[in-house]
């Protein structure tokens, strides 16, 4: 089975419309399958008991969304195996069970938390004496990470994939490569972000790099997703934020605030790069939830009590 999995992963990695995150998910799911059937021969994949396998996943405590992802991976994998002739027979999917996936509300940050986070990023990235060129570069880079995540609502993959050539200062635009390698053009919403990008690029020139990627690590290589998460976590800690947030929470927060401030749903969909407006509609629900919370928490009428 190792040969089939390796060939499948390599094929998926070469496809332009498959993201790195999806390839990692495929690999993870198929490694799980391989552990469950360690002695599986190439010609008798049809003997795999899918119902039994899914029961194992369920007993491990996997939620419905994770099990559905495993099923999707197996369907793509078995189709590949059959088309390429690696196995004569593959398991047939006759799973009648419905896996209901409840819609989870995205975690959003309060306005005060966002303001504190961005203010902390700028404070730590501002010009100071006695700093090396590299330290000054890293400080401004970290500020830019926070600004781009919130100002443009970028996913981490989109952020770390940005290239210098994607920036058009004349139009104030940035070309973003989204899921499925779909491109969309976003615009820098304020002069402060434009100035920050220019300042960062000046400092970036001092880093010896042959890369066109916008965000670099201290060695001059493309910044990793894990590094972005570490930067975000560090600035959250310095800002004194008590709740646990991830970089993706800035994307959720940006979208929710756009809608609360009056932006139309279709525009928010295009900004976020959602293929379906149904995905974007969840932020309307989040916005309504916040309004309910505000009314219950801060309304003066709640302080009054009357006999009935």
């Amino acid at each position: 089975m190792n040969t089939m999995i390796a060939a499948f992963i390599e094929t998926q990695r070469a496809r332009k419309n498959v993201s790195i995150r999806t390839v990692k998910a495929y690999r993870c799911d198929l490694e799980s399958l391989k552990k469950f059937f360690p002695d599986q021969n190439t010609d008798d994949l049809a003997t795999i008991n899918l119902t039994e396998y899914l029961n194992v996943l369920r007993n491990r405590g996997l939620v419905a969304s994770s099990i559905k992802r495993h099923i999707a991976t197996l369907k793509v994998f078995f189709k590949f195996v059959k088309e390429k002739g690696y196995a004569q027979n593959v398991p047939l999917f006759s799973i009648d069970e419905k896996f209901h996936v409840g819609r989870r509300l995205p975690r959003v940050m309060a306005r005060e938390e966002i303001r504190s986070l961005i203010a902390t990023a700028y404070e730590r990235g501002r010009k100071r004496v006695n700093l090396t060129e590299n330290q000054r570069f890293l400080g401004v880079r970290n500020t830019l990470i926070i600004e781009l995540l919130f100002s443009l609502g970028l996913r981490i993959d989109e952020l770390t994939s940005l290239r210098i050539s994607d920036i058009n200062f004349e139009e104030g635009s940035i070309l973003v490569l989204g899921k499925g390698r779909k491109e969309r053009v976003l615009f820098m919403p304020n002069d402060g972000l434009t100035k920050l990008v220019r300042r960062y690029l000046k400092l970036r020139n001092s880093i010896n790099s042959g890369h066109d990627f916008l965000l670099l690590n201290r060695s001059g290589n493309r910044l990793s997703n894990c590094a972005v998460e570490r930067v975000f976590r560090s600035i959250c800690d310095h800002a004194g934020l008590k709740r646990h947030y991830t970089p993706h929470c800035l994307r959720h927060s940006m979208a929710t605030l756009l809608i609360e401030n009056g932006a139309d749903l279709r525009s928010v969909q295009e900004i976020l790069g959602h293929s379906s407006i149904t995905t974007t509609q969840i932020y309307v629900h989040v916005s309504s939830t916040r309004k309910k919370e505000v009314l219950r928490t801060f309304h003066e009428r709640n302080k009054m009590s009357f006999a009935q």
Side-chain angles (χ1 to χ4, degrees):
M1 192 182 292
N2 288 334
T3 302
M4 290 184 288
I5 292 177
F8 172 75
I9 294 298
E10 190 59 37
T11 301
Q12 297 305 313
R13 187 185 289 128
R15 292 178 60 189
K16 291 185 177 181
N17 62 337
V18 178
S19 69
I20 296 174
R21 192 179 296 271
T22 299
V23 173
K24 287 181 178 179
Y26 283 156
R27 186 192 299 277
C28 180
D29 294 346
L30 293 175
E31 286 296 326
S32 174
L33 178 72
K34 188 173 68 175
K35 287 178 182 177
F36 187 68
F37 300 102
D39 301 321
Q40 195 69 46
N41 295 321
T42 58
D43 294 329
D44 62 353
L45 287 181
T47 62
I48 291 178
N49 188 324
L50 290 179
T51 302
E52 182 183 354
Y53 178 59
L54 295 179
N55 285 334
V56 169
L57 297 180
R58 188 185 292 102
N59 292 335
R60 289 180 187 170
L62 266 67
V63 296
S65 58
S66 296
I67 295 176
K68 287 189 72 173
R69 192 195 75 188
H70 274 267
I71 293 174
T73 296
L74 294 180
K75 285 182 177 180
V76 176
F77 174 64
F78 289 139
K79 180 181 178 182
F80 168 83
V81 166
K82 191 171 183 178
E83 288 178 348
K84 296 298 181 181
Y86 283 103
Q88 296 177 357
N89 299 297
V90 296
L92 297 176
F93 278 85
S94 57
I95 301 168
D96 298 325
E97 182 177 352
K98 301 293 183 182
F99 293 92
H100 175 69
V101 181
R103 174 165 284 192
R104 294 172 58 188
L105 292 179
R107 171 169 284 192
V108 299
M109 302 171 68
R111 283 182 170 86
E112 311 82 61
E113 292 177 314
I114 297 171
R115 182 180 293 275
S116 177
L117 182 72
I118 296 175
T120 301
Y122 272 99
E123 170 62 25
R124 293 176 61 76
R126 67 184 176 85
K127 295 179 180 178
R128 294 178 184 169
V129 295
N130 301 325
L131 287 182
T132 65
E133 197 73 14
N134 194 265
Q135 288 173 325
R136 192 171 290 110
F137 161 76
L138 292 176
V140 175
R141 183 207 64 184
N142 294 349
T143 306
L144 184 59
I145 287 172
I146 300 298
E147 273 282 26
L148 289 173
L149 286 172
F150 179 66
S151 295
L152 300 183
L154 299 182
R155 304 177 178 97
I156 295 187
D157 282 341
E158 294 171 346
L159 177 71
T160 56
S161 297
L162 289 178
R163 296 176 178 271
I164 296 177
S165 54
D166 294 330
I167 302 172
N168 185 325
F169 283 107
E170 273 190 33
E171 296 182 356
S173 65
I174 297 180
L175 181 65
V176 178
L177 187 64
K179 279 187 175 182
R181 302 190 68 82
K182 292 180 181 177
E183 295 181 343
R184 68 184 188 278
V185 176
L186 297 178
F187 295 88
M188 290 181 269
N190 56 73
D191 292 338
L193 177 56
T194 305
K195 291 178 181 177
L196 181 65
V197 174
R198 289 187 182 277
R199 183 182 169 203
Y200 167 77
L201 289 176
K202 286 183 180 179
L203 291 169
R204 186 188 180 285
N205 290 335
S206 64
I207 303 298
N208 186 18
S209 174
H211 295 288
D212 183 42
F213 288 108
L214 177 65
L215 297 173
L216 305 176
N217 59 24
R218 65 178 70 242
S219 301
N221 296 315
R222 176 184 177 180
L223 195 67
S224 68
N225 290 7
C226 290
V228 171
E229 291 171 355
R230 287 195 297 269
V231 168
F232 177 81
R233 185 70 259 156
S234 174
I235 297 177
C236 280
D237 290 341
H238 281 92
L241 302 187
K242 302 301 181 185
R243 297 181 68 191
H244 175 73
Y245 293 113
T246 66
H248 207 69
C249 291
L250 282 176
R251 175 177 165 86
H252 293 321
S253 303
M254 176 262 211
T256 303
L257 290 173
L258 279 178
I259 291 174
E260 284 190 357
N261 292 338
D264 65 279
L265 203 59
R266 183 67 66 182
S267 295
V268 176
Q269 176 195 359
E270 293 177 359
I271 290 169
L272 295 179
H274 288 160
S275 57
S276 170
I277 200 167
T278 304
T279 308
T280 317
Q281 284 174 333
I282 193 170
Y283 296 111
V284 177
H285 185 88
V286 173
S287 179
S288 299
T289 302
R290 175 60 181 159
K291 290 174 185 176
K292 181 178 180 180
E293 179 186 340
V294 168
L295 286 171
R296 287 185 175 275
T297 305
F298 301 107
H299 203 295
E300 188 66 24
R301 176 63 180 81
N302 300 337
K303 303 175 184 178
M304 305 175 190
S305 178
F306 300 96
Q308 296 188 26

